[in-house]
């Protein structure tokens, strides 16, 4: 991945643009959420997201992102054991009982918003329900710690502690990140850490927090397509993400309607 090497604090004007990027991104994810049902293909979901983003004068942020080969789509759709970076395909059909994670990025006036959610397709198992609930709760536990004077380790620890106390695992191999004109800015925001450690959080910091949670072990591997990350043991996974701005008064979620 391509990362900046220092923190780039944003002005209130820049945060306002990121808020608009985040609102458009939320509209795209909302349209995808409403289209998720048994029988829909992940390529159809991708087309829905791209249409919403472009119709608002914005662009998909993931398309062309450097990797094993340029990322080919607007969203990533990761099903069951797939943790992140699943590539949409007309051959991938959602079925009853799946859990699906959708990640989307939007560029608007040069600034990026990045957000993800996971949900069940129709009826899902009690274990899958708990996984979704705990992962989303972990995101909000982390957001709550994004306050001036705290450190990144406080955020990371809040996420890790909630996930592990519920018997699940966080990945060590993929992290949250600063976000702005670049998709991945300093600092990394791991989903594990120690309270009081790491960068001090200041007003103007904009980060994407993204708990990536696994049922069986913390280990992952990459599928032969070069992009899709799956749990090493085939167990279920979930992913929630918001782009958040730190203000003097505390965290503001940019990627909601
Ligand atoms: Mg994302
Ligand atoms: Mg991200």
């Amino acid at each position: 991945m391509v990362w900046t090497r220092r923190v780039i604090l944003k002005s209130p004007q820049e945060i306002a643009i990121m808020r608009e990027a985040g609102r458009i991104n939320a509209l795209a994810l909302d349209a995808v959420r409403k289209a998720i049902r048994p029988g829909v293909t992940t390529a159809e979901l991708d087309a829905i997201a791209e249409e919403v983003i472009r119709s608002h004068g914005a662009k998909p942020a993931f398309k062309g992102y450097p990797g094993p080969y340029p990322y080919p789509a607007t969203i990533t759709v990761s099903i069951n054991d797939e943790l992140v970076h699943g590539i949409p395909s007309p051959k991938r059909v959602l079925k009853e009982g799946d859990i699906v994670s959708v990640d989307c990025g939007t560029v608007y006036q040069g600034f990026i918003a990045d957000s993800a959610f996971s949900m069940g397709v129709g009826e899902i198992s009690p274990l899958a329900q708990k996984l979704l609930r705990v992962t989303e709760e972990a995101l909000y536990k982390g957001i709550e710690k994004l306050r001036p004077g705290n450190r990144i380790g406080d955020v990371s620890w809040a996420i890790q502690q909630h996930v592990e106390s519920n018997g699940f695992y966080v990945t060590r191999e993929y992290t949250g990140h600063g976000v702005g004109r670049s998709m991945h800015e300093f600092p990394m925001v791991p989903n594990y850490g120690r309270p009081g450690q790491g960068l001090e959080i200041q007003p103007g910091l904009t980060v994407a927090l993204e708990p990536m949670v696994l049922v069986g072990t913390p280990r992952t591997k990459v599928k032969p397509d070069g992009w899709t990350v799956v749990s090493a043991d085939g167990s279920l996974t979930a992913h929630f993400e918001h782009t958040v701005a730190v203000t003097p008064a505390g965290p503001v979620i940019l990627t909601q309607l």
Side-chain angles (χ1 to χ4, degrees):
M1 283 195 283
V2 184
W3 288 73
T4 65
R5 294 188 181 277
R6 61 184 181 87
V7 177
I8 303 170
L9 297 176
K10 314 302 185 300
S11 68
Q13 292 77 13
E14 289 171 325
I15 289 171
I17 297 170
M18 289 185 68
R19 175 72 184 100
E20 184 59 13
R23 193 185 69 84
I24 295 165
N25 204 61
L27 286 170
L29 284 178
D30 194 50
V32 170
R33 185 182 287 107
K34 287 172 178 155
I36 286 177
R37 58 183 157 69
V40 73
T41 71
T42 59
E44 289 174 293
L45 301 177
D46 189 65
I48 289 167
E50 182 166 7
E51 163 61 22
V52 172
I53 290 168
R54 294 198 189 276
S55 72
H56 287 82
K59 286 188 192 157
F62 294 176
K63 211 168 251 197
Y65 194 85
Y69 46 92
Y71 189 75
T74 294
I75 58 176
T76 70
V77 189
S78 309
I79 304 167
N80 296 331
D81 63 317
E82 296 173 349
L83 178 63
V84 288
H85 305 169
I87 301 173
S89 162
K91 294 181 189 153
R92 287 305 293 279
V93 182
L94 298 187
K95 61 182 196 306
E96 179 90 15
D98 284 340
I99 60 173
V100 58
S101 301
V102 180
D103 196 344
C104 188
T106 293
V107 194
Y108 180 74
Q109 294 185 6
F111 284 91
I112 294 171
D114 184 11
S115 179
F117 70 90
S118 299
M119 66 179 274
V121 182
E123 286 283 304
I124 59 172
S125 70
L127 176 64
Q129 289 175 37
K130 181 183 176 189
L131 174 66
L132 296 180
R133 175 178 59 77
V134 168
T135 307
E136 186 168 23
E137 286 169 354
L139 171 59
Y140 287 95
K141 300 267 184 193
I143 291 171
E144 177 56 31
K145 296 290 185 187
L146 272 173
R147 297 177 176 280
N150 283 351
R151 291 181 179 272
I152 292 294
D154 298 315
V155 176
S156 299
W157 168 244
I159 291 170
Q160 178 184 15
Q161 198 278 334
H162 189 67
V163 169
E164 293 184 350
S165 69
N166 279 281
F168 299 136
Y169 299 88
V170 290
T171 178
R172 310 272 169 144
E173 294 154 325
Y174 303 89
T175 69
H177 50 92
V179 59
R181 289 189 184 275
S182 301
M183 175 99 78
H184 295 106
E185 293 184 354
F186 191 86
M188 278 193 202
V189 188
N191 293 311
Y192 61 94
R194 280 189 271 159
Q197 302 286 302
L199 183 82
E200 185 171 329
I201 294 165
Q202 302 175 59
L205 185 68
T206 48
V207 293
L209 287 195
E210 48 182 320
M212 291 166 257
V213 176
L214 304 90
V215 165
T217 81
R219 291 192 306 282
T220 65
K221 58 187 184 182
V222 178
K223 281 173 108 173
D225 68 20
W227 274 103
T228 311
V229 177
V230 296
S231 58
D233 66 349
S235 66
L236 288 177
T237 68
H239 178 209
F240 283 84
E241 178 180 27
H242 273 308
T243 296
V244 183
V246 177
T247 75
V252 175
I253 298 173
L254 303 179
T255 38
Q256 57 190 11
L257 293 180

